[in-house]
Amino acid sequence: MEYAGKLRRLVKNHQPKKKDEEDYQYSPCRAFKLVMNEVNDLAGQHEVIAENLQTNIIREVNILVKDFKEDRKKHLQDGMRMMTSLSNQIQTLERARKNYEKAFKEAERALDNYQRADADLNLSRMEVEKQRTNMTIKSQQCEDTKNEYANQLQKTNDLQAQHYQHLMPNVFQHLQELDEKRIKNIKNFMIQSVDIERSVFPIINQCLDGILKASDQINEKEDSLMVIERYKSGFLPPGDFQFEDLSAMKSGEAQPMIINNAITSIRPEAMTVKGTMSAGKLKKRVGLFGIFSSNKEDYSDLPPNQRKKKLQQRLEEISAKIQQESATRDGLMKMKGVYEQNPALGDPMSIEGQLNDSGHRLDKLRQEQHKFQMYLEEAQDNGASIMNVSPSVPGRRLKSQPSRLINGGGQRHHRHSGGSGGEEESLSRSASDSSVSNPTTNNKQSAPGTPLPSHNPESGLGTSHTSLPDSDEPEPTDIDGNAQPEYYDADQLPALGMCRALYPFEATSEGSIPMYDGEELHIIELDQGDGWTRVRRQGDTEEGFVPTSYIECTLYNNS
């Protein structure tokens, strides 16, 4: 039991801490965890041995020891009683012999006195008769004591013969049998203890086989590849340095040296020890498992691969929360339907508040999901731009392709980045700024408690994908390449695409517009990560914001 307890304590002391659980995906750690499980099973088997020994042997030994002590005490008491009885009989015989001896002497003296008195002529006949009577009495007493002595002698001899031939041999026989039984039980207990331990040997062998199997699962190559996959940054190696012609520089025809280095297009804050790049003053590394950590919501301070992994993990967590919240909302809807059909069960209005709260939580989660999807698209676009850098033209990227957005959950490839992106963004911002002067949308206030975007919908200052109508951009087309009619005038923002309402939406705050299920609207400003998209009705000048998660978007191909 003590050995099993120490094994269990050993396993408990070496259980992985919560902060170290991530490390247990490596084969040595997984194998060590399996070994701990097997050692714990070994401890359990030793506990089984101890319990069986306690139940089948120690308990029986205690019972037998108690019985043996009682039987031995009884047999020894019987022997002592027999010895006492024989001793008493011998003492009785000795007293009878002494009485007989005394009576015999007195009878002899009485006989001598009678003979002397009978020979003495001077004594009277009365005196002689008295001596004869005394002689007769003494002779009778001597005869009685003789008979008693003979009787006691017979009894003593019989008792002594019985004592040494039957009684004491029986006592010794019982004691011998008792000791033989004790020795036999010791033998049986030893055999049983061996059987008890041997019965768990198959399980112990299975535990040992499990330890061997766990050790066979250790693979150093797979662990190395896992570490590489887990901690690779995604940065490309730097390109070749170009030759710098000093003579050309002297003549004024030199071009600044361009280092073909994909890493130069990455954010400067990413070029740290976390990006596996050298830095001016490196602090002492505390280990591999903490080099990639982020303090930013979009993980923009991480290397590309690490950022995509973190964003994907976050999206999975948000998706799980959305599923859970949707299930809760469905349950509340069913409960409300039951209450409406049978008011006796409850008040349907009592569920309304919970439904509203659930809807707000669901909208917030969808907005957060969309925001992180945008972050992921940005990370993927940055990764694609790095992977498609040309050796001769740094910063070159692939052309944008049209994409289809469903519930704000698809990947958007229609993005502008690189050197030209800033110019297009500034143009779109200028176009958006023109809408600020519109008196119909200016000076509107948001309703309190409404989840509006971080940039006010009325401000029109959010970054947009549009270009000015008089710019050199090609005519907007749909996915099939057909030209799209323009439904806006010079004072209106150009349409970036079309969207269809998946759910009805009631405008609950200033800056938003209502829409019905299935309604088609023009997209004039994309979601900037706050969960709202700016739209305009077809054939109308009414503009406003709607939740991105409520619409299905199709963007025009402006590439």
Side-chain angles (χ1 to χ4, degrees):
M1 287 297 289
E2 183 180 355
Y3 179 64
K6 288 184 177 180
L7 283 180
R8 289 198 182 277
R9 195 155 51 247
L10 190 68
V11 171
K12 182 179 179 181
N13 292 338
H14 288 81
Q15 284 295 328
K17 304 295 187 296
K18 191 172 183 180
K19 62 179 181 180
D20 299 332
E21 286 181 354
E22 191 178 28
D23 301 340
Y24 275 77
Q25 60 180 312
Y26 299 104
S27 59
C29 298
R30 292 199 308 268
F32 180 69
K33 197 170 184 179
L34 293 175
V35 168
M36 286 196 297
N37 293 336
E38 299 298 341
V39 172
N40 197 46
D41 291 342
L42 284 174
Q45 297 310 309
H46 285 288
E47 288 175 348
V48 170
I49 293 174
E51 290 174 1
N52 290 336
L53 289 174
Q54 185 75 29
T55 303
N56 300 330
I57 294 184
I58 297 179
R59 179 171 170 270
E60 294 296 328
V61 165
N62 290 332
I63 293 174
L64 288 176
V65 166
K66 182 180 178 181
D67 293 342
F68 287 163
K69 286 182 177 180
E70 293 177 355
D71 290 344
R72 183 173 179 275
K73 183 178 179 181
K74 175 178 174 295
H75 294 319
L76 291 177
Q77 287 177 347
D78 290 343
M80 291 299 298
R81 187 175 61 255
M82 294 172 187
M83 291 293 294
T84 303
S85 177
L86 178 61
S87 177
N88 292 335
Q89 183 61 40
I90 292 174
Q91 290 177 2
T92 302
L93 175 63
E94 185 64 22
R95 285 195 299 271
R97 187 188 66 78
K98 289 180 177 180
N99 290 335
Y100 169 63
E101 183 179 2
K102 179 181 178 182
F104 178 76
K105 290 180 179 179
E106 289 179 352
E108 283 186 340
R109 281 198 303 271
L111 178 60
D112 289 340
N113 291 334
Y114 171 71
Q115 290 176 354
R116 281 196 302 269
D118 187 44
D120 190 0
L121 299 175
N122 296 323
L123 293 175
S124 64
R125 191 168 182 81
M126 183 179 293
E127 288 293 334
V128 174
E129 189 63 26
K130 182 178 179 182
Q131 291 298 328
R132 188 178 67 82
T133 303
N134 186 35
M135 180 195 66
T136 303
I137 293 172
K138 294 298 182 182
S139 296
Q140 185 62 38
Q141 289 178 352
C142 179
E143 190 65 26
D144 292 340
T145 55
K146 181 181 178 181
N147 293 334
E148 177 66 21
Y149 170 66
N151 186 27
Q152 292 297 329
L153 181 61
Q154 183 64 34
K155 288 175 63 176
T156 300
N157 289 333
D158 292 342
L159 182 59
Q160 182 172 271
Q162 185 72 14
H163 178 82
Y164 286 107
Q165 294 178 9
H166 299 288
L167 297 180
M168 287 306 296
N170 287 338
V171 171
F172 289 130
Q173 183 66 30
H174 289 317
L175 290 174
Q176 178 180 343
E177 291 174 356
L178 189 66
D179 202 51
E180 289 175 354
K181 183 179 179 182
R182 177 185 63 82
I183 296 172
K184 182 179 179 181
N185 279 291
I186 289 175
K187 172 186 175 182
N188 293 334
F189 290 146
M190 288 181 178
I191 295 174
Q192 288 180 21
S193 64
V194 171
D195 292 338
I196 288 172
E197 293 213 25
R198 186 174 288 168
S199 64
V200 301
F201 279 177
I203 303 177
I204 292 177
N205 287 331
Q206 290 179 6
C207 296
L208 298 177
D209 292 340
I211 293 175
L212 292 177
K213 185 177 179 182
S215 64
D216 291 337
Q217 294 177 2
I218 297 177
N219 190 316
E220 65 279 3
K221 297 296 183 183
E222 290 183 1
D223 289 337
S224 299
L225 294 177
M226 190 181 299
V227 172
I228 294 171
E229 179 64 26
R230 182 176 177 184
Y231 295 106
K232 67 181 180 181
S233 64
F235 292 130
L236 292 177
D240 296 336
F241 291 99
Q242 293 185 0
F243 178 74
E244 186 176 352
D245 192 348
L246 297 179
S247 61
M249 290 181 62
K250 186 175 182 181
S251 63
E253 299 175 358
Q255 297 294 330
M257 182 180 66
I258 300 175
I259 299 176
N260 183 20
N261 188 351
I263 300 179
T264 58
S265 63
I266 306 302
R267 301 176 307 280
E269 62 269 17
M271 299 173 63
T272 63
V273 68
K274 292 183 178 180
T276 67
M277 300 176 59
S278 60
K281 294 181 179 179
L282 299 182
K283 295 183 178 180
K284 184 179 179 181
R285 293 175 65 176
V286 294
L288 261 180
F289 306 113
I291 63 174
F292 293 133
S293 60
S294 175
N295 296 323
K296 295 188 178 182
E297 181 189 31
D298 61 350
Y299 305 107
S300 58
D301 54 344
L302 293 181
N305 274 21
Q306 300 302 319
R307 185 187 182 197
K308 284 188 284 186
K309 286 183 180 180
K310 292 289 186 180
L311 290 173
Q312 287 171 353
Q313 291 175 2
R314 188 64 188 274
L315 280 173
E316 290 174 0
E317 294 174 1
I318 296 174
S319 298
K321 291 180 181 179
I322 289 177
Q323 291 180 359
Q324 183 179 1
E325 192 64 41
S326 299
T328 302
R329 185 178 178 84
D330 292 342
L332 290 173
M333 292 293 292
K334 291 180 181 178
M335 186 180 297
K336 182 180 178 182
V338 171
Y339 286 174
E340 289 175 349
Q341 293 177 2
N342 191 354
L345 295 177
D347 184 11
M349 297 306 296
S350 63
I351 308 297
E352 195 66 31
Q354 300 180 30
L355 280 173
N356 292 335
D357 293 341
S358 178
H360 288 316
R361 289 194 297 269
L362 204 54
D363 290 340
K364 188 175 179 181
L365 287 172
R366 284 172 177 163
Q367 293 172 16
E368 190 175 2
Q369 182 187 40
H370 180 66
K371 177 173 62 177
F372 280 95
Q373 284 171 344
M374 297 296 292
Y375 291 154
L376 182 59
E377 293 164 16
E378 179 187 354
Q380 290 172 342
D381 289 345
N382 289 338
S385 65
I386 294 175
M387 295 303 295
N388 290 278
V389 171
S390 172
S392 59
V393 185
R396 182 179 176 184
R397 306 188 191 295
L398 291 175
K399 289 186 176 181
S400 301
Q401 299 294 333
S403 63
R404 185 175 182 85
L405 293 167
I406 299 176
N407 289 341
Q411 294 183 352
R412 300 186 182 184
H413 298 284
H414 187 77
R415 301 179 61 85
H416 297 279
S417 57
S420 62
E423 180 182 355
E424 292 176 2
E425 182 178 352
S426 63
L427 291 176
S428 65
R429 284 184 179 274
S430 300
S432 299
D433 292 344
S434 65
S435 65
V436 178
S437 59
N438 190 346
T440 61
T441 59
N442 200 16
N443 300 326
K444 291 183 179 180
Q445 301 295 328
S446 300
T450 305
L452 288 177
S454 57
H455 299 292
N456 247 352
E458 297 75 35
S459 67
L461 295 178
T463 305
S464 175
H465 247 309
T466 66
S467 348
L468 289 178
D470 56 354
S471 65
D472 294 335
E473 291 290 332
E475 183 180 1
T477 58
D478 59 12
I479 295 178
D480 298 329
N482 301 321
Q484 292 291 329
E486 297 183 2
Y487 293 99
Y488 55 88
D489 54 26
D491 295 332
Q492 292 179 341
L493 294 175
L496 303 178
M498 296 292 294
C499 68
R500 183 174 63 85
L502 299 175
Y503 314 101
F505 175 69
E506 295 182 2
T508 57
S509 62
E510 296 292 338
S512 60
I513 63 172
M515 62 180 179
Y516 58 85
D517 188 7
E519 182 180 3
E520 293 188 352
L521 305 166
H522 289 290
I523 302 174
I524 60 175
E525 187 174 332
L526 294 178
D527 187 351
Q528 303 302 310
D530 48 22
W532 295 88
T533 300
R534 190 172 180 180
V535 299
R536 180 173 56 240
R537 296 193 189 281
Q538 298 189 46
D540 196 352
T541 59
E542 184 181 4
E543 297 179 356
F545 287 86
V546 295
T548 306
S549 58
Y550 279 47
I551 58 176
E552 176 185 4
C553 302
T554 304
L555 301 179
Y556 297 148
N557 186 0
N558 293 326
S559 60

